[in-house]
Amino acid sequence: QQQTGQVESLAATIQQFRQEALELRQAELELLARDARLAPTNAAIQYRYGLSLYLHNREPEAEKTLVQAVKLAPDTPDAVMALALLFQKQKRFAESLDYAERLLKLRPQDPTYQRLLEEIQNHPSGCDKLLSKALEDDNNPVTEENQPRAVVMVPTRELGEQVSKVFKPFTHTTR
């Protein structure tokens, strides 16, 4: 009986703290919005405001604000990482990959950035977008006519060359 009362009291206290935290986060968002308006060229403020927007599930606004933060301070990994994660969450893998690659250029030895890049590259639903991006990087825009019909991934370059030779008679382009 006494233990049940303590559990209920603890649950009520936790709920009260959650409500207060929600109210504080909302107040913080309003203050950051004001600061972002007053200091549109301050990358750190734009970054914090973008994160707050993201945490409030206002992703389109968060994206715009985080892009602005990266434009203001392109060598600051925090905003670049936030955009990589935002695009990854939205399944915009080609864009996420761009930002993950930027992170590695900034800090090539950082294992967190290396893992993020691998995660994006290895995500099954992102493969077609990554392939399209790779083709477009070769100045071959993906159109319906150029759309890949099959993708064969092999572990080594040598095996890839052998597979390419086998498929060559069946296609006009093999990469």
Side-chain angles (χ1 to χ4, degrees), residues 4 8 10 12 25 44-45 47 49 55 58 82 86 99 103 106 112 115 120 127 143 148 152-153 157 165 171:
T4 302
E8 289 173 357
L10 181 60
R25 280 196 302 273
I45 290 174
Y47 165 69
Y49 180 47
L55 293 173
R58 293 169 56 181
L86 173 66
Y99 283 97
L103 284 169
L106 293 172
T112 302
R115 280 192 302 274
I120 294 166
C127 290
T143 61
V152 179
M153 298 180 75
R157 181 184 225 43
K165 286 178 186 174
T171 179

Side-chain angles (χ1 to χ4, degrees), residues 46-166:
Q46 298 302 317
Y47 165 69
R48 285 282 299 134
Y49 180 47
L51 280 183
S52 188
L53 288 165
Y54 175 78
L55 293 173
H56 283 84
N57 295 316
R58 293 169 56 181
E59 291 179 10
E61 293 168 90
E63 177 184 338
K64 180 181 172 190
T65 305
L66 290 169
V67 165
Q68 177 65 16
V70 170
K71 284 180 184 175
L72 293 169
D75 294 337
T76 305
D78 294 337
V80 176
M81 176 75 151
L83 278 170
L85 294 172
L86 173 66
F87 290 138
Q88 182 185 29
K89 178 185 176 202
Q90 295 174 338
K91 299 185 181 349
R92 294 165 58 186
F93 295 104
E95 291 162 286
S96 183
L97 180 66
D98 286 341
Y99 283 97
E101 288 171 344
R102 286 176 75 169
L103 284 169
L104 274 177
K105 286 178 185 172
L106 293 172
R107 295 199 182 144
Q109 302 304 318
D110 192 313
T112 302
Y113 301 157
Q114 292 169 355
R115 280 192 302 274
L116 175 64
L117 181 67
E118 290 169 10
E119 186 179 315
I120 294 166
Q121 289 173 330
N122 295 329
H123 194 283
S125 65
C127 290
D128 60 332
K129 292 170 182 65
L130 297 176
L131 176 63
S132 294
K133 180 186 180 310
L135 291 172
E136 287 176 3
D137 286 348
D138 289 341
N139 293 321
N140 184 6
V142 177
T143 61
E144 187 64 34
E145 180 177 304
N146 292 343
Q147 188 69 29
R149 305 297 189 264
V151 176
V152 179
M153 298 180 75
V154 294
T156 65
R157 181 184 225 43
E158 293 79 21
L159 185 56
E161 289 171 1
Q162 292 173 8
V163 170
S164 180
K165 286 178 186 174
V166 170

